Amino acid sequence: MRRQFDRIAPVWDTMRTEDTLAPYQAALGRISGPIQHALDVGTGTGAGARAIRERFPTADVVGVDVAPAMIAEARKLVPEATFVEGDASELPFDDESFDLAAHSNMIPFLNETARVLRRGGWTVFAFSSGPETPIWVEPDRLRKELERRGFTDFAEISAGRGVAVVARRPAPN
Ligand SMILES: C[S@@+](CC[C@H](N)C(=O)[O-])C[C@H]1O[C@@H](n2cnc3c(N)ncnc32)[C@H](O)[C@@H]1O
């Protein structure tokens, strides 16, 4: 998969349509701060990282991707974020280091998402074309899997041609 995404990195942005990020942006709009440290998982060329900065202008935003060519494009296109090469199944970040871990058209690795989120932190899973998205997980299934890991505050949001799920790690008592 890494090689496949490396090959298409230079043309990835030409494959996007105007509403590709609509569900992701709508989901970010549902989140209440403070969001200071945010992660875009499977960032590709960094469009999601840029959307987080637009929504939370003072946040430090990191994008992580397994494909080096995607990271190279993201660094050129989105200088306002930091980009790191890494595998979402073994994220190169400390436990509880982010207030937000967001995913656009990305395979969920829920144990890692839960690990890197602080208590009270938020997660987003957006799929640009709903069930037609090449990487697609039914919102009900995502919700059940997140519930098993203690997440709460679910919302399912439709926007553009897509859908997004928002959830939260419970805050400490
Ligand atoms: C369908 S693209 C989505 C890119 C971007 N989020 C967007 O919506 O335009 C999926 C991205 O996830 C990356 N990816 C796939 N598996 C990964 C993994 N295990 N860890 C990190 N990134 C991964 C790919 O390299 C690719 O850039």
Side-chain angles (χ1 to χ4, degrees):
M1 177 168 312
R2 175 186 303 170
R3 251 183 262 133
Q4 184 191 336
F5 278 111
D6 266 337
R7 252 197 323 269
I8 58 177
V11 294
W12 183 255
D13 275 18
T14 65
M15 294 158 71
R16 309 174 68 83
T17 58
E18 222 169 71
D19 65 354
T20 297
L21 272 184
Y24 188 91
Q25 288 164 322
L28 293 178
R30 294 287 188 95
I31 291 171
S32 49
I35 302 293
Q36 272 312 311
H37 301 287
L39 179 64
D40 182 42
V41 185
T43 193
T45 52
R50 180 192 293 125
I52 296 173
R53 268 293 293 242
E54 284 167 2
R55 168 75 177 94
F56 302 105
T58 63
D60 294 327
V61 182
V62 179
V64 64
D65 201 287
V66 77
M70 286 290 191
I71 291 292
E73 284 295 311
R75 285 182 179 142
K76 277 191 270 175
L77 295 171
V78 189
E80 65 270 33
T82 302
F83 294 95
V84 175
E85 198 182 313
D87 193 327
S89 68
E90 207 173 340
L91 287 169
F93 307 111
D94 291 340
D95 294 358
E96 305 200 3
S97 47
F98 291 100
D99 306 305
L100 166 66
H103 310 67
S104 166
N105 303 320
M106 174 57 190
I107 309 147
F109 289 92
L110 299 181
N111 290 342
E112 280 297 272
T113 301
R115 182 183 67 75
V116 300
L117 273 181
R118 71 161 169 81
R119 290 174 191 280
W122 296 87
T123 191
V124 166
F125 297 89
F127 304 96
S128 293
S129 311
E132 312 302 319
T133 316
I135 295 170
W136 162 247
V137 183
E138 286 283 347
D140 277 356
R141 181 167 165 217
L142 256 181
R143 181 181 176 141
K144 278 194 193 110
E145 290 294 331
L146 287 162
E147 264 170 355
R148 281 205 308 123
R149 292 164 177 83
F151 281 76
T152 60
D153 293 54
F154 294 96
E156 187 180 325
I157 298 150
S158 296
R161 290 165 297 124
V163 65
V165 169
V166 177
R168 189 175 199 190
R169 262 199 93 191
N173 292 325

